[in-house]
Amino acid sequence: QVQLVESGGGLVQAGGSLRLSCTASGSGFTTRTMGWYRQAPGKQRELVSTITSSGSTNYADSVKGRFTISGDNDKNTVYLQMDSLKPEDTGVYYCNCNARRFDGYLQQYWGQGTQVTVSS
């Protein structure tokens, strides 16, 4: 029903910036919340940031003040502007979508992930 495609990952030096994007495509759904999770090597997957269709945002304490999430409802796209990147930000970033299907069910969808590597 929903397919998520991420882009924007890459290799940057500490202090640099990256902008991730994720677009939800398909039919038969309305997006309620989109966001980003990440998983560092040897670590559990953790929440980075989320945004609702009404614009409410949420951030992990570790990225507050450095990352900014935004969305475009018309395009079903979410962005993550990452500034002042640190080596500990390194990991695979996964796009997440919480959507309501037209049959009334809520469903979580995940992208394949995009690698972000921050060198010291």
Side-chain angles (χ1 to χ4, degrees), residues 4 15 26 86 92 103:
L4 303 178
K86 304 175 181 179
V92 178
D103 61 9

Side-chain angles (χ1 to χ4, degrees), residues 36-38 46-50 58-60 63 67 80 93:
W36 296 92
Y37 293 70
R38 70 186 181 188
E46 65 177 352
L47 172 70
V48 177
S49 183
T50 61
N58 180 56
Y59 297 93
V63 306
F67 291 9
L80 185 67
Y93 284 66

Side-chain angles (χ1 to χ4, degrees), residues 58-79:
N58 180 56
Y59 297 93
D61 289 341
S62 60
V63 306
K64 287 180 179 177
R66 299 188 298 119
F67 291 9
T68 303
I69 192 169
S70 61
D72 186 331
N73 289 334
D74 292 336
K75 298 180 180 179
N76 283 325
T77 299
V78 64
Y79 306 93

Side-chain angles (χ1 to χ4, degrees), residues 35-114:
W36 296 92
Y37 293 70
R38 70 186 181 188
Q39 187 166 20
K43 305 292 184 180
Q44 293 183 320
R45 188 175 300 186
E46 65 177 352
L47 172 70
V48 177
S49 183
T50 61
I51 186 169
T52 69
S53 59
S54 62
S56 297
T57 59
N58 180 56
Y59 297 93
D61 289 341
S62 60
V63 306
K64 287 180 179 177
R66 299 188 298 119
F67 291 9
T68 303
I69 192 169
S70 61
D72 186 331
N73 289 334
D74 292 336
K75 298 180 180 179
N76 283 325
T77 299
V78 64
Y79 306 93
L80 185 67
Q81 179 66 44
M82 305 186 294
D83 298 320
S84 301
L85 283 163
K86 304 175 181 179
E88 51 263 43
D89 294 318
T90 293
V92 178
Y93 284 66
Y94 297 91
C95 181
N96 172 269
C97 176
N98 183 12
R100 183 176 295 279
R101 290 153 44 174
F102 289 169
D103 61 9
Y105 290 100
L106 289 171
Q107 181 70 55
Q108 293 252 30
Y109 299 91
W110 294 91
Q112 290 296 113
T114 183

